Amino acid sequence: MNTISFARGVPAPECIPVEELADCARAVVERDGDTVLSYGPVGGYGPLREWIAERHGVEPARVLITNGSLQGMVFLAERFAGERVLVELPTYDRPLKILAARGVGVDAVPMDDDGLDLDALEQTLGTGRKPGFVYTIPTFQNPSGRTLSVDRRRRLVEIAREHELVVLEDDPYGLVRFDGDPPPTLFELDGGQHVIYSSSFSKTIAPGLRVGYFVLPEALERQLEALAVSTYITPVLLGQATVFEFLRRGNFKPNLERVSSLLAARRDAMLEALESELSAARWSRPQGGYFVWLEMPEQTDTGTLLERADAAGITFVKGADFGGAPNTARLAFSFVSPDEIREGIGRLGALVAEPISV
Ligand SMILES: Cc1ncc(COP(=O)(O)O)c(C=O)c1O
């Protein structure tokens, strides 16, 4: 039996604009090969840096383009080594590992259906030393698919001002929206004073290009550049120039619309299948992104369920891997087809027909 993977938070192959990217890559090498195939500016390929700076209303000197945004997270963790960082829970597991490996003390703040719990954040701020930053994924969060409400966005920015707190807004999914109106980013609400913004072309164009970026205060940008120089001298300019060519040709918006509609069909298939197969559970209903957060009845241990699911030809990531409760799980709808989603959730529904005890 083929395994249906709800574990892979990666785009389905048809989301990747292979032909156009091949064309863009060839064009940049032919036109500008001397530059993009050599060492160059550590902050990133100039024209792309300018495009990003303009998009966010900042000077290019505040933009650091890295080999995927996760690489920027590594630099940030190195810069804040030994300090304290607050994270929402559940959260993306890789930054947790990166922070822990660099000796950053991580304290968790809970979240609910509307995102980060700001009363809990204020309480946590009142205890212990001042954090180096607060890490949040406010839009279509990985792993929960939840989005921070507009009211909470405003209040979070106020809290950041009051406490002179740095907030890292990690936003790779915000543009991958299927329905509803986009809320303002924390960065926009704050005017880029206390909020560091990071995003990526991994979900909007292709992850294999490895092009992510941070918008930072200038002094911090320079510090991270110094770490980048001693890590890779120059980021992968060919990937960045290929992204820029894709943008320059006007491919970005139509591609995003195409990708969003492919993913929306998957999100719809997943929500409908959950409705008909898993009536005892609850789940998030994201308006975009890659993930649905599943909350099984309290007595269910999704670790045990996962072992049985593997045997039944389905896989997912248990919520505990993201700091979630034992009865939770992350279901990625991005990789599998709508038919596979229906089949996979059907298999899951059959499995949970008998409850499993912790
Ligand atoms: C919340 C979040 N941040 C960052 C990343 C890393 O993205 P990139 O491919 O730009 O390194 C991911 C990838 O899945 C993610 O989910």
Side-chain angles (χ1 to χ4, degrees):
M1 185 182 351
N2 68 325
T3 294
I4 295 174
S5 177
F6 299 129
R8 302 199 66 191
V10 302
E14 56 267 45
C15 290
I16 300 179
V18 176
E19 296 292 317
E20 290 100 313
L21 286 174
D23 218 47
C24 291
R26 168 164 285 281
V28 297
V29 170
E30 282 175 356
R31 196 176 55 230
D32 208 12
D34 292 352
T35 305
V36 301
L37 297 175
S38 188
Y39 292 117
V42 69
Y45 181 65
L48 182 61
R49 213 174 173 199
E50 277 163 28
W51 187 92
I52 294 167
E54 200 185 318
R55 185 177 182 95
H56 295 290
V58 298
E59 289 301 312
R62 292 186 56 186
V63 175
L64 179 69
I65 313 178
T66 49
N67 296 332
S69 64
L70 203 63
Q71 177 74 70
M73 185 57 148
V74 172
F75 297 146
L76 213 56
E78 280 172 21
R79 161 64 183 75
F80 287 92
E83 295 199 33
R84 179 185 186 220
V85 164
L86 304 187
V87 302
E88 59 202 5
L89 269 199
T91 194
Y92 183 32
D93 53 340
R94 290 190 202 280
L96 289 177
K97 290 175 190 148
I98 289 168
L99 292 167
R102 269 101 192 150
V104 177
V106 173
D107 283 329
V109 180
M111 67 191 308
D112 59 25
D113 290 347
D114 285 335
L116 185 61
D117 176 339
L118 297 180
D119 292 334
L121 174 68
E122 287 201 297
Q123 260 176 18
T124 313
L125 286 173
T127 64
R129 61 196 164 128
K130 187 176 166 185
F133 63 92
V134 177
Y135 174 56
T136 181
I137 309 162
T139 311
F140 312 139
Q141 198 231 20
N142 181 2
S144 71
R146 290 165 177 155
T147 291
L148 188 68
S149 68
V150 175
D151 285 352
R152 286 197 195 179
R153 283 170 193 249
R154 292 189 197 287
R155 195 172 145 215
L156 177 53
V157 165
E158 268 165 36
I159 293 173
R161 274 190 203 139
E162 268 165 36
H163 292 258
E164 300 218 333
L165 196 64
V166 175
V167 174
L168 167 57
E169 174 174 32
D170 185 8
D171 189 26
Y173 300 100
L175 292 178
V176 189
R177 172 173 284 279
F178 318 145
D179 32 52
D181 294 326
T185 62
L186 298 172
F187 185 87
E188 285 162 353
L189 288 174
D190 167 63
Q193 301 290 305
H194 298 89
V195 178
I196 296 172
Y197 183 82
S198 84
S199 189
S200 168
F201 293 95
S202 289
K203 321 295 170 184
T204 53
I205 304 181
L209 292 163
R210 307 310 297 132
V211 183
Y213 66 90
F214 276 65
V215 183
L216 303 149
E218 235 178 283
L220 185 55
E221 195 282 338
R222 280 195 298 272
Q223 290 167 356
L224 299 199
E225 267 198 14
L227 293 167
V229 167
S230 43
T231 304
Y232 48 51
I233 312 176
T234 300
V236 184
L237 297 177
L238 176 56
Q240 296 185 13
T242 303
V243 164
F244 182 71
E245 181 66 11
F246 193 83
L247 301 170
R248 200 184 66 84
R249 292 182 180 193
N251 286 346
F252 190 63
K253 197 164 170 266
N255 184 63
L256 198 53
E257 283 166 7
R258 187 185 66 81
V259 167
S260 298
S261 83
L262 287 167
L263 292 171
R266 289 162 163 80
R267 186 272 322 257
D268 291 346
M270 175 152 283
L271 295 183
E272 280 159 23
L274 287 168
E275 202 71 57
S276 69
E277 303 290 341
L278 280 178
S279 53
R282 52 190 298 274
W283 52 86
S284 57
R285 291 176 167 74
Q287 292 185 314
Y290 279 19
F291 308 109
V292 164
W293 188 242
L294 183 66
E295 292 174 67
M296 297 295 292
E298 257 179 35
Q299 72 278 13
T300 304
D301 174 31
T302 55
T304 313
L305 181 63
L306 181 57
E307 284 167 23
R308 296 177 55 212
D310 272 338
I314 23 166
T315 186
F316 55 82
V317 185
K318 60 184 194 301
D321 288 2
F322 306 99
N327 62 325
T328 57
R330 187 190 78 173
L331 301 177
F333 53 79
S334 55
F335 183 65
V336 274
S337 70
D339 279 345
E340 287 171 317
I341 289 173
R342 285 184 275 274
E343 168 67 25
I345 298 295
R347 289 182 198 170
L348 191 61
L351 274 185
V352 300
E354 300 162 31
I356 306 154
S357 297
V358 178

